[in-house]
Amino acid sequence: MERIESPANGKVKLAASLAKSKGRQKERAFVVEGARLCEEALKAAEKGDWSIRFGFITAAQLATERGGALAAKALAQGLALYETPGNVYNKAAQVVSPQGVLFVVECRRFAPDDLMSACHDQKKAPLIAALDGVQDPGNVGTILRTAEAVGATGAILLPGTADVFGEKTVRASMGAIFRLPVASLTVRELVSFVREHGLGLYATALDRNARPHTSADFEEPSLIVFGREGSGVSKEILAAAGTRKIFIPMAGEAESFNVAQACAIVLYETFRQRRLKD
């Protein structure tokens, strides 16, 4: 394994530049950090679904059982993995408490039809979660993790939603970004996509015409839109959803749920209807 001793090394500078959205867009790459996420990235790369450019690991991480096994697997897969001293590693790291191993991974962009292909391959009705301007990266990552957990076939990010490849989003997803197809669309493209594929378009809404989420028929091919923190789903999507506006019944005086909480409640109702009904 080669060593990189200087913080001025080109690969170190490249990794550091990926902390910003501009850098990720320019390089079409992002950073995953920590043994857990790097293990998930290796699994995805082994299947040929994702590509890892290179990685850094510290001597301290390499000396651990988990770190040593991770490095061995990475090298066996032909990954360019470099040992770095702490000061060099910290230059590239993005988290507050660096975890001793990180990979630079190529961004993968999915087309909307890729989400439908996943449905056909698994012979099940599509279930897609769409995020309309959800700005908090932790919420976005958590929603992707939840969507994967309930067996969703993909997710769609609408304008204003946090970058799926940002460090906080990636970390909150707990590896779901490597297993759940995620596409980016405009509102107009989303509406066309729904019509083209015969999906039921549901939108969460605090609306007098909305009905409880438990009354919706999520066994049909479904796309469910969750809105921006505070302002909710956009008027254009609410209009397109028509009678499929849904809300979560609540007791007490709380006005609403956090968007990630709301998503979990609604998506687990889809899970109940599709898998636990009997």
Side-chain angles (χ1 to χ4, degrees):
M1 186 187 304
E2 291 185 44
R3 282 180 59 86
I4 292 178
E5 302 282 355
S6 171
N9 179 274
K11 286 185 170 59
V12 176
K13 288 184 175 181
L14 187 153
S17 75
L18 303 180
K20 296 183 178 180
S21 177
K22 183 177 180 181
R24 293 192 294 274
Q25 291 174 4
K26 177 183 177 182
E27 295 295 334
R28 297 182 181 179
F30 65 105
V31 166
V32 297
E33 187 167 357
R36 171 73 180 273
L37 282 175
C38 288
E39 287 166 351
E40 296 295 341
L42 281 178
K43 290 177 187 176
E46 190 173 21
K47 293 177 182 176
D49 296 334
W50 292 75
S51 178
I52 303 172
R53 287 193 190 177
F54 59 85
F56 299 140
I57 189 167
T58 63
Q61 180 63 253
L62 195 56
T64 68
E65 182 178 353
R66 190 174 190 179
L70 176 62
K73 185 174 183 180
L75 293 171
Q77 288 182 209
L79 175 66
L81 184 63
Y82 301 92
E83 184 182 344
T84 61
N87 67 312
V88 174
Y89 179 89
N90 292 346
K91 175 76 174 179
Q94 296 183 9
V95 299
V96 176
S97 301
Q99 299 180 47
V101 59
L102 67 80
F103 293 162
V104 172
V105 183
E106 299 279 353
C107 293
R108 185 179 180 189
R109 303 289 181 182
F110 289 89
D113 285 347
D114 292 331
L115 280 60
M116 300 305 297
S117 297
C119 308
H120 299 322
D121 292 345
Q122 299 172 40
K123 297 181 180 179
K124 61 182 178 181
L127 172 63
I128 298 169
L131 309 188
D132 183 16
V134 177
Q135 297 175 309
D136 184 89
N139 283 338
V140 173
T142 299
I143 290 171
L144 296 181
R145 183 181 178 186
T146 302
E148 185 203 8
V150 302
T153 43
I156 290 175
L157 307 186
L158 295 167
T161 300
D163 182 4
V164 70
F165 298 120
E167 183 272 324
K168 291 182 180 178
T169 306
V170 172
R171 182 154 43 92
S173 81
M174 293 295 286
I177 65 161
F178 294 122
R179 299 181 295 270
L180 184 76
V182 179
S184 295
L185 296 179
T186 65
V187 171
R188 180 176 294 181
E189 289 169 339
L190 176 79
V191 173
S192 296
F193 173 74
V194 165
R195 290 173 179 167
E196 179 184 353
H197 294 286
L199 303 175
L201 175 59
Y202 292 91
T204 54
L206 294 175
D207 186 303
R208 68 177 60 186
N209 296 317
R211 52 187 173 137
H213 72 293
T214 51
S215 67
D217 179 12
F218 291 129
E219 291 188 83
E220 70 171 349
S222 303
L223 186 149
I224 309 170
V225 184
F226 301 92
R228 182 190 303 267
E229 301 91 338
S231 58
V233 176
S234 63
K235 293 180 180 179
E236 295 86 349
I237 292 178
L238 290 176
T243 60
R244 288 193 172 97
K245 288 177 282 191
I246 57 175
F247 74 97
I248 302 169
M250 300 173 63
E253 298 183 13
E255 292 184 359
S256 63
F257 288 102
N258 167 279
V259 65
Q261 293 174 316
C263 179
I265 292 168
V266 173
L267 289 182
Y268 267 91
E269 173 61 17
T270 72
F271 184 82
R272 185 193 69 80
Q273 290 187 19
R274 290 176 173 225
R275 305 197 183 199
L276 302 178
K277 216 167 188 180
D278 298 331

